[in-house]
Amino acid sequence: MRFSSNVKPHVLLLIVGTILLLGYVYFNFFSERLNGRTDVVSVTPWLAPIVWEGTFDPVLVDNIYKPMNLTVATTVFAIGKYVRFLQDFLETAEKHFMVGFHVRYYVFTDRPHDVPSVNLSQGRHLSVIQVPGSNRWQEISARRMEIIQTTIERQIRREADYIFCLDVDSKFHARWGSESLGRLVAVIHPGYYEQTRDRFPYERRPASTAYIPMDEGDYYYGGAMIGGFVEDVYTLTKVCRTRFEEDAGNSIEAAWQEESHLNRYLLDNKPSKVLSPEYLWQDFKAKTKEVKVIRFSGVIKNYADVRPNV
């Protein structure tokens, strides 16, 4: 992004983001009445928008964000046999993800020679970063926060304004655009958006730093998507990494690894925007009446075949 004033870029982005957030909440307030999306909740208790089809105008939000000349970073981990999902991920992203924006893909893999060649649109780039493999998928999951944190420190914070950290075993099916941008962005897990919080699979052991009591919690967020300003996601990954390491020192592994720590962090640090399950569906699930569009979904796979351990 280019700035002509003396205002620091992250400060200006925060100001603009706050203005957009207020406008978005105002728009959602009226769109529920004009477009009839009374079948879903489109604002959180802390007044952050929940993005569903019919709660935003794609032309309007693109006209706001595209003149800002933003660059969006996108990280994926293609470790071991998961590299087989990378081509579909990239090819569908080129059709649907942040179209018209500068995008930088960061692919973390232990098999750099297996990374497919995909034609990228102008202004979109791919960096392959070699990382070690592992015999345990839980260890790969645990290292994700650390690797994203260190890569932001070394590279991403100089190259992008926003970042989305996504799962590679997924495909894009429809628009994922500027309506998803925000200071700190989370997505509601498709398996729990209709459940009450006592059914959420939070970490329930008080000894863990990811612990959430039974009477606390807002939503259950999916770990397959973390997003926001680069610096806000950096803080998230740094805190979650520290808590991971503290738990490991006490011989504790949270129930759902980084997803458990993510949910604890987002309980204390409310996201400024929440994406509906349209942005993280699961291919084995039938589409429900609330989900008008499936934008991004995890593919059906045999875990015994792709994971080093089950």
Side-chain angles (χ1 to χ4, degrees), residues 20-30 43 47-49:
L20 292 174
L21 172 60
L22 292 173
Y24 199 101
V25 171
Y26 179 86
F27 178 78
N28 273 344
F29 180 84
F30 287 101
V43 181
L47 299 183

Side-chain angles (χ1 to χ4, degrees), residues 92-250:
T92 59
E94 284 299 290
K95 293 178 182 178
H96 302 294
F97 179 72
M98 303 304 299
V99 174
F101 287 85
H102 300 292
V103 172
R104 288 186 172 271
Y105 301 104
Y106 300 85
V107 176
F108 302 103
T109 183
D110 58 339
R111 299 183 180 184
H113 299 297
D114 292 335
V115 173
S117 177
V118 174
N119 291 327
L120 303 179
S121 301
Q122 185 177 358
R124 297 164 82 96
H125 306 276
L126 187 147
S127 299
V128 178
I129 301 171
Q130 187 164 359
V131 296
S134 175
N135 293 324
R136 295 183 71 244
W137 68 266
Q138 293 91 341
E139 182 181 341
I140 296 170
S141 174
R143 288 208 321 264
R144 193 166 79 136
M145 294 291 189
E146 174 190 353
I147 292 171
I148 294 171
Q149 177 202 338
T150 56
T151 307
I152 290 174
E153 290 174 348
R154 296 170 183 169
Q155 184 174 357
I156 296 176
R157 64 171 30 143
R158 298 191 302 273
E159 298 178 344
D161 305 292
Y162 289 89
I163 184 172
F164 287 98
C165 309
L166 304 174
D167 274 6
V168 72
D169 53 336
S170 309
K171 289 183 182 181
F172 295 87
H173 303 281
R175 173 194 166 99
W176 179 320
S178 57
E179 74 281 354
S180 65
L181 296 175
R183 180 185 55 80
L184 185 60
V185 184
V187 64
I188 298 174
H189 194 294
Y192 299 96
Y193 79 99
E194 296 176 302
Q195 303 291 330
T196 55
R197 67 183 177 189
D198 61 300
R199 304 292 299 275
F200 295 165
Y202 292 145
E203 172 55 63
R204 300 300 190 182
R205 293 170 295 174
S208 172
T209 58
Y211 168 65
I212 297 178
M214 292 296 294
D215 61 346
E216 294 185 25
D218 303 310
Y219 304 96
Y220 189 76
Y221 302 109
M225 198 293 297
I226 306 167
F229 286 163
V230 169
E231 292 304 320
D232 285 84
V233 174
Y234 172 74
T235 301
L236 181 156
T237 56
K238 186 176 182 180
V239 170
C240 288
R241 174 192 177 181
T242 299
R243 292 174 177 175
F244 246 116
E245 292 173 350
E246 184 177 339
D247 273 9
N250 294 319

Side-chain angles (χ1 to χ4, degrees), residues 10-11 18 40 53-54 59 70 73 112 131 137 191 227-228 245 291 308:
H10 71 278
V11 174
T18 301
V40 294
E53 175 69 9
V59 175
L70 299 168
V131 296
W137 68 266
E245 292 173 350
V291 178

Side-chain angles (χ1 to χ4, degrees), residues 67-83:
M68 298 171 70
N69 195 31
L70 299 168
T71 297
V72 180
T74 308
T75 67
V76 289
F77 285 74
I79 308 295
K81 294 181 180 180
Y82 274 76
V83 74

